Amino acid sequence: MSDNTPRVAAGDDSQTGSRSSRAAKRQSARPVLAEARVSETMELDPAVMFPLLGSTDGNLRALEQVLSAEIHVRGNVVTFEGAPSDVAVGKRVLTELAAVVTAGGPVTPDAVRRSVAMLTRGVSESPAEVLSLDILSRRGKTIRPKTLNQKRYVDAIDANTIVFGVGPAGTGKTYLAMAKAVQALQAKQVSRIILTRPAVEAGERLGFLPGTLHDKIDPYLRPLHDALHDMMDVEAIPKLMAAGIIEVAPLAYMRGRTLNDAFIILDEAQNTTAEQMKMFLTRLGFNSKIVVTGDITQVDLPGGSKSGLRAASEILVDIDDIHFAKLDSSDVVRHRLVSSIVDAYERFDASETASSNRAARRGTGPRAAHR
């Protein structure tokens, strides 16, 4: 009996290739299965439920939005429905935030979002460790880090003699440093606090401002006074300043001094020159600690002078007992728009720099050389 089945010659893979192609097309045409959904429950201490869930369940809604999962609560039992990864993160977030509530800390939708970010990044510190680190308490208000980088910044202040806190506006650089200074004074770790700023104006001239020299300089030091009022009894501050226990002064007043047994903060350090920064850092005496804060994207120095903060970050980076703590837009604790504004300006600056570099390369290319 003859075999009428078409044969494919050895080495001729045109038909097998065609069949493989059709099989591949059928495979690609099949719908991709979504990650299987699961449903899991967890039971929490009834005492933590209200502060954990938030007013009108605001914290719960924030968690649902970040995880794209459904969360249902009956009594003190929480049910998660969603992808296994989202359910696992959701349960871990509630466990961590329940620990924060138990420790007396507040839980807000912002804390929920930051906790999810920490857990999904796989960092070593837990949200409960970050959000439960109390620095200072006054009249029912407790100052504590709100982000992972803020906690690392605070830990660095404890562990090092000189710390640079570098980051954009609103990341808590100065406020947390002030809280650590007041904490150190109250614990008698130091005998005085010295707060200083360079008197560099953003587009204005000191000479044209009204009043005496003190009146001209005071507005530049006002943010430091405001932070002090948040952390100490208002009535006590003038007495401490009169006694020299708290000193708020322009950077120029630091020249020629040796600062012993003090917690010293230099704010707005991006507006120091390299010479001023060297002068300030070499004021360090025995049993003293220095924290330098600034934002290298907001330099107001005239004539394009190089920032002393930028120079220090290049010169001092490898010296033991000096630490550079970096904060970014994710650490902004002001209005949520501030973080978006910081990011937008960074993107614009990066685009401008890239355009300038391309123009410079074109200007020095082969054609430019023949002109």
Side-chain angles (χ1 to χ4, degrees):
M1 186 175 183
S2 63
D3 185 359
N4 295 323
T5 302
R7 302 182 186 276
V8 180
D12 182 1
D13 59 355
S14 60
Q15 293 189 38
T16 57
S18 177
R19 286 195 295 270
S20 299
S21 176
R22 288 195 297 270
K25 288 180 180 178
R26 287 196 300 270
Q27 183 70 22
S28 63
R30 292 174 184 169
V32 178
L33 295 177
E35 188 177 1
R37 292 175 64 85
V38 298
S39 177
E40 295 185 15
T41 62
M42 65 181 300
E43 188 173 340
L44 294 166
D45 182 350
V48 307
M49 292 303 293
F50 179 74
L52 180 62
L53 301 182
S55 177
T56 66
D57 291 347
N59 297 336
L60 205 62
R61 300 288 81 81
L63 186 58
E64 282 186 322
Q65 291 169 3
V66 176
L67 293 180
S68 299
E70 295 180 16
I71 308 174
H72 307 282
V73 178
R74 179 183 288 273
N76 64 322
V77 176
V78 183
T79 302
F80 294 84
E81 293 182 6
S85 56
D86 284 341
V87 169
V89 171
K91 293 175 68 176
R92 177 78 187 279
V93 166
L94 288 192
T95 300
E96 293 288 333
L97 294 180
V100 172
V101 172
T102 301
V107 175
T108 63
D110 182 64
V112 171
R113 288 187 284 268
R114 295 185 188 279
S115 297
V116 172
M118 279 184 254
L119 291 173
T120 53
R121 284 169 56 189
V123 297
S124 57
E125 298 91 336
S126 70
E129 287 180 284
V130 174
L131 300 174
S132 300
L133 178 61
D134 296 347
I135 301 174
L136 201 64
S137 295
R138 175 178 174 267
R139 294 182 178 177
K141 178 183 178 181
T142 300
I143 298 172
R144 56 173 65 88
K146 295 183 178 180
T147 71
L148 177 60
N149 285 338
Q150 285 187 352
K151 179 184 183 296
R152 290 175 174 173
Y153 172 48
V154 169
D155 290 343
I157 292 174
D158 287 333
N160 297 273
T161 299
I162 298 178
V163 173
F164 289 80
V166 183
T171 51
K173 306 179 298 295
T174 303
Y175 200 78
L176 290 172
M178 294 278 285
K180 292 299 293 181
V182 173
Q183 180 193 50
L185 181 67
Q186 292 179 346
K188 301 188 185 307
Q189 296 170 354
V190 296
S191 62
R192 56 181 172 158
I193 297 172
I194 300 174
L195 311 172
T196 185
R197 268 185 165 195
V200 174
E201 59 277 26
E204 299 177 358
R205 294 282 179 250
L206 280 172
F208 290 99
L209 295 176
T212 64
L213 178 62
H214 179 271
D215 294 332
K216 295 171 189 288
I217 290 173
D218 187 64
Y220 298 95
L221 305 176
R222 179 53 50 189
L224 302 178
H225 286 283
D226 292 343
L228 275 178
H229 287 184
D230 280 353
M231 301 172 191
M232 306 183 75
D233 291 331
V234 176
E235 301 80 10
I237 294 174
K239 298 176 183 178
L240 293 172
M241 295 183 74
I245 295 174
I246 296 178
E247 178 181 350
V248 184
L251 179 60
Y253 288 24
M254 299 298 108
R255 190 175 298 277
R257 302 173 63 183
T258 300
L259 306 175
N260 293 315
D261 200 29
F263 197 116
I264 312 145
I265 298 173
L266 170 59
D267 190 31
E268 295 290 327
Q270 74 275 6
N271 289 327
T272 63
T273 63
E275 293 78 12
Q276 287 175 322
M277 179 64 76
K278 179 182 177 183
M279 178 276 293
F280 171 75
L281 293 175
T282 53
R283 302 307 94 200
L284 179 66
F286 296 105
N287 192 41
S288 288
K289 188 180 290 285
I290 285 178
V291 178
V292 178
T293 68
D295 176 4
I296 57 176
T297 68
Q298 295 190 17
V299 177
D300 298 318
L301 291 172
S305 301
K306 184 173 183 178
S307 167
L309 178 59
R310 185 181 293 278
S313 67
E314 298 168 357
I315 296 169
L316 306 176
V317 67
D318 293 324
I319 298 181
D320 186 45
D321 211 20
I322 296 179
H323 180 85
F324 286 83
K326 302 293 179 66
L327 297 103
D328 56 38
S329 61
S330 67
D331 301 299
V332 171
V333 291
R334 293 178 182 168
H335 192 284
R336 61 177 181 80
L337 282 177
V338 175
S339 178
S340 300
I341 290 168
V342 169
D343 284 338
Y345 271 95
E346 288 181 351
R347 288 193 299 270
F348 177 80
D349 291 341
S351 175
E352 289 287 290
T353 300
S355 298
S356 299
N357 290 341
R358 286 195 296 271
R361 286 195 296 270
R362 285 196 297 268
T364 57
R367 292 183 180 178
H370 289 298
R371 289 176 184 170

